[in-house]
């Protein structure tokens, strides 16, 4: 990457990786598949864009193996917008991650939306200068990802459905498990760590702080302004919206509305204003109608 | 009575600034609307994404009241906040609006993308010894400043690869700004400097 004024400071530290996610808080990260969509997202006030070839709803519909996007497409989006750009690598595919880092992407999503490349190991994220966000359905999974170097967590939900129920379930589970840890006495944390299948030190840190040591966004099925505001009221630091915007009737209006509702998440009048006249929401699919082997949230371990 | 200091809560690391201020014995108010700007004694504009902050400030009709207020009370901006207080921006979107007030040109993402984000110790005379451990994340730089602007800190020529001093903290009357993020460290001296400005305003 061209840098006009690189300094002799230290790069790639935990603090700059986690701090980058802090700067995204209160924001909406939108999936985009081309430059035109990236510009719509930026104009609407998205905090970052996720550059990918197919949104989750299309991956679901078309099937087949879903992989990292074409570097040219990622480059074009980096050139087109001034907000941060994220891109997805397959779970465990450390070479896709190396490629994406070399493009100058600001954050890598090691994502269950793509087809996993390794059914045992995730990427060793400490080995990278670029920070990673990973999905989680519960606290143990979140802490295992943080232990591997993730600098940001998103609850998974069920991507590409427009059905918010799993997103709700996952953020409630993670927040609930954090509250439970906070109420435990010190000698109970050993067993808690065993049960969560998470490192003891991280479990103690969460118990003491009453929060994850990294930013927690939520994702997977958010399709309306009210969905986004509900995630914020449930304690998310921000939201990812994948198929919900560009699979809807009027993406420009909906993108703006979801951003406004995320900003004013605790103000029902503003959410109502944002919800008016948006046209059709994405048609969606009930998570309960998806056969278990096709549920993306089950990927990752 | 403790002064009320607002933190602009459109987006960004609002909570971290609030936490720093609370430790300095001031009352903190998160500000999302023009009404919430009433009767505050100072305002912090947090780190975040300046493009987004600017777009949302336009959509929520905040620039008018903010520009009026900046002539009346002290304001402090970190990172994106520095860009918001700059009179001009280079390498931003052509239509990016700012609150302005600081006679500087801020260069966005001056050090590169996220992989170039870094930490470094800085000598800052205004807050005394020891050196201040500063965290820069996709940070801007003060590319040019008028003579009315006081330079509080710079990465010295010897440590910058450009071979020139890089200005990263400034003050002009009631306004101050840093390229770096004191709010994500535990060293409160920058916030204390700002709270002192508010108390003596």
């Amino acid at each position: 990457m061209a840098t006009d004024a690189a300094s002799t400071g230290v790069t790639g530290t935990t603090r700059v990786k986690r701090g980058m996610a802090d700067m995204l808080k209160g924001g909406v990260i939108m999936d985009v598949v081309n430059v035109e969509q990236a510009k719509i997202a930026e104009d609407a006030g998205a905090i970052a864009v996720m550059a990918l070839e197919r949104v989750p709803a299309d991956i679901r519909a078309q099937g087949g193996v879903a992989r990292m996007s074409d570097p040219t497409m990622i480059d074009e989006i980096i050139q087109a917008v001034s907000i941060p750009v994220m891109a997805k690598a397959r779970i465990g595919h450390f070479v896709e991650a190396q490629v994406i880092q070399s493009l100058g992407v600001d954050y890598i999503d090691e994502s269950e939306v793509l087809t996993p490349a390794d059914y045992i190991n995730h990427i060793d994220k400490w080995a990278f200068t670029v920070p990673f966000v990973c999905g989680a359905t519960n606290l143990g999974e979140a802490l295992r990802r943080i232990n591997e170097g993730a600098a940001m967590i998103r609850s998974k939900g069920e991507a590409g459905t427009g059905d918010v129920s799993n997103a709700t379930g996952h953020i409630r589970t993670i927040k609930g498990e954090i509250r439970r840890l906070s109420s435990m006495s010190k000698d109970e944390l050993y067993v808690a760590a065993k049960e969560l299948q998470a490192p003891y030190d991280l479990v103690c840190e969460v118990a003491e702080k009453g929060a994850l040591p990294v930013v927690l966004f939520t994702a997977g099925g958010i399709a309306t302004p009210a969905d986004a505001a509900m995630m914020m009221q449930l304690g998310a630091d921000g939201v990812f919206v994948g198929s919900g915007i560009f699979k809807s009737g009027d993406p420009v209006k909906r993108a703006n509305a979801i951003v406004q509702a995320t900003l004013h998440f605790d103000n029902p009048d503003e959410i109502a204003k944002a919800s008016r006249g948006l046209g059709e929401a994405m048609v969606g699919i009930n998570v309960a109608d998806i056969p278990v082997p096709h549920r993306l949230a089950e990927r990752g371990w | 009575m403790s002064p009320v200091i607002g933190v602009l809560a459109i987006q960004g690391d609002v909570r971290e600034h609030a936490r720093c201020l609370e430790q300095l014995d001031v009352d903190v108010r998160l500000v999302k609307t023009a009404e919430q700007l009433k009767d505050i004694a100072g305002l912090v504009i947090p780190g975040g994404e300046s493009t987004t902050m600017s777009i949302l400030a336009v959509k929520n009709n905040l620039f008018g009241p903010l520009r009026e207020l900046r002539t009346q009370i002290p304001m402090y901006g970190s990172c994106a906040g520095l860009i918001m207080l700059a009179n001009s921006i280079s390498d931003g979107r052509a239509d990016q609006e700012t609150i302005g007030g600081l006679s500087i040109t801020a260069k966005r993402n001056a050090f590169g993308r996220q992989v170039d984000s870094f930490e470094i110790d800085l000598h800052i005379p205004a807050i005394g010894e020891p050196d201040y451990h500063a965290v820069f994340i996709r940070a801007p730089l003060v590319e040019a400043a008028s003579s009315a602007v006081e330079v509080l800190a710079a990465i010295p020529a010897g440590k910058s690869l450009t071979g020139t001093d890089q200005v990263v903290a400034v003050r002009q009357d009631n306004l101050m700004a840093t390229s770096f993020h004191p709010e994500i460290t535990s060293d409160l001296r920058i916030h204390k400097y700002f709270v002192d400005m508010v108390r003596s305003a």
Side-chain angles (χ1 to χ4, degrees), chain A residues 201-259:
Chain A
D201 289 345
L202 276 174
V203 168
C204 291
E205 192 181 342
V206 170
E208 198 187 318
K209 279 182 63 178
L212 288 182
V214 303
V215 165
L216 173 63
F217 271 48
T218 192
I222 295 157
T224 70
D227 287 350
M230 179 163 77
M231 294 303 122
M232 297 300 286
Q233 288 196 25
L234 286 171
D237 290 316
V239 297
F240 284 81
V241 185
S243 320
I245 290 170
F246 291 102
K247 285 285 158 190
S248 74
D250 189 339
V252 173
K253 252 188 171 168
R254 189 165 292 265
N256 276 282
I258 289 179
V259 169

Side-chain angles (χ1 to χ4, degrees), chain B residues 20-100:
Chain B
C20 290
L21 292 168
E22 278 159 3
Q23 290 175 67
L24 292 166
D25 213 19
V26 298
D27 290 332
V28 178
R29 183 192 299 164
L30 305 189
V31 174
K32 289 184 182 182
T33 62
E35 297 78 67
Q36 290 164 336
L37 287 168
K38 289 215 175 77
D39 304 323
I40 54 173
L43 181 69
V44 171
I45 300 149
E49 200 43 48
S50 70
T51 311
T52 306
M53 236 182 252
S54 172
I55 288 171
L56 293 181
V58 171
K59 288 186 205 290
N60 290 277
N61 304 313
L62 284 167
F63 273 122
L66 284 169
R67 284 182 189 130
E68 199 182 309
L69 203 59
R70 72 151 151 83
T71 60
Q72 297 161 13
I73 62 167
M75 290 190 184
Y76 163 49
S78 70
C79 194
L82 176 143
I83 298 169
M84 288 287 276
L85 290 175
N87 279 345
S88 76
I89 306 174
S90 67
D91 281 14
R93 283 165 51 115
D95 58 351
Q96 185 166 342
E97 286 197 44
T98 68
I99 301 166

Side-chain angles (χ1 to χ4, degrees), chain A residues 1-13 15-17 19-20 22-27 42-47 78 82-85 101 104-106 129-131 237 256 259-260 263-266, chain B residues 9-13 15-16 32-33 47-49 51-52 55-56 59-60 91 93 107-120 133 135-138 141 155 159-162 166 181 183-185:
Chain A
M1 281 310 294
T3 59
D4 295 323
S7 91
T8 53
V10 191
T11 59
T13 61
R15 185 138 58 185
V16 300
K17 287 175 172 176
M20 167 75 201
D22 280 322
M23 304 312 146
L24 303 174
K25 282 192 296 206
E42 182 175 63
D43 288 341
I47 185 65
I78 289 176
S82 78
I83 53 177
V85 176
Q101 172 168 278
V105 157
D106 296 295
T129 308
V130 70
D237 290 316
N256 276 282
V259 169
Q260 275 297 110
L263 167 59
H264 297 291
F265 67 88
D266 49 2
Chain B
I10 296 177
Q11 184 276 315
D13 65 342
R15 207 182 320 154
E16 285 68 21
K32 289 184 182 182
T33 62
E49 200 43 48
T51 311
T52 306
I55 288 171
L56 293 181
K59 288 186 205 290
N60 290 277
D91 281 14
R93 283 165 51 115
K107 185 177 168 61
R108 290 189 69 242
N109 300 345
F111 300 91
R113 300 191 69 89
Q114 171 58 16
V115 289
D116 306 300
S117 293
F118 63 98
E119 305 182 25
I120 197 168
H133 189 72
V135 183
F136 293 78
I137 297 172
R138 281 173 52 102
L141 188 64
I155 300 174
K159 284 189 184 177
S160 79
L161 292 185
T162 51
Q166 296 177 303
H181 294 280
E183 71 276 14
I184 61 172
T185 68

